[in-house]
Amino acid sequence: QVQLVESGGGLVQPGGSLRLSCAASGNIVSINGMGWYRQAPGKERELVGVITNGGRTNYADSVKGRFTISRDNVKKTVYLQMNSLKPEDTAVYYCNVYADVDGSTWYKGYWGKGTLVTVSS
């Protein structure tokens, strides 16, 4: 019912920047929270940052001051601007969206398939 398509991943040198995008489509009545998670090789998936439909944000301590999450409610898209990237930021980044698909105001979580970010010289 809800499809999430991430884009913007790739290879970047330490200190570089990337901008990830995640566009939601499908039978969506409204969207509540949107966010990004990541999973590095051999590690569990962890929160990167989230943004409410009112624009409030919350970040993992490891990315505060370097990453910025934003959203475009008209385009149903969430973004992650990543600056001052470090090798330890290397991971698959997943988009997460809470959407109401039937007007019930019950929001269910949906996941994208992920986009790989590799930080290496």
Side-chain angles (χ1 to χ4, degrees):
Q1 288 178 310
V2 175
Q3 296 79 44
L4 302 177
V5 178
E6 298 118 329
S7 61
L11 174 65
V12 63
Q13 292 186 343
S17 298
L18 280 176
R19 188 191 194 211
L20 305 183
S21 300
C22 172
S25 62
N27 189 28
I28 298 172
V29 175
S30 63
I31 294 176
N32 196 346
M34 306 179 85
W36 290 92
Y37 290 72
R38 68 186 181 185
Q39 187 167 16
K43 295 187 177 181
E44 294 186 353
R45 191 174 297 188
E46 65 176 4
L47 170 72
V48 175
V50 294
I51 184 168
T52 69
N53 57 3
R56 287 184 298 174
T57 58
N58 190 35
Y59 298 95
D61 287 343
S62 59
V63 307
K64 282 181 181 177
R66 300 187 299 122
F67 290 10
T68 303
I69 190 170
S70 61
R71 62 190 283 170
D72 183 326
N73 291 329
V74 174
K75 295 182 178 179
K76 298 185 179 66
T77 299
V78 61
Y79 305 95
L80 183 67
Q81 178 66 43
M82 304 184 293
N83 299 328
S84 302
L85 282 160
K86 304 175 181 180
E88 51 263 44
D89 294 318
T90 295
V92 177
Y93 284 71
Y94 296 92
C95 171
N96 175 251
V97 169
Y98 278 84
D100 173 10
V101 298
D102 58 9
S104 66
T105 69
W106 182 70
Y107 293 89
K108 179 181 176 182
Y110 297 86
W111 290 93
K113 294 183 177 180
T115 184
L116 177 62
V117 172
T118 302
V119 184
S120 175
S121 55

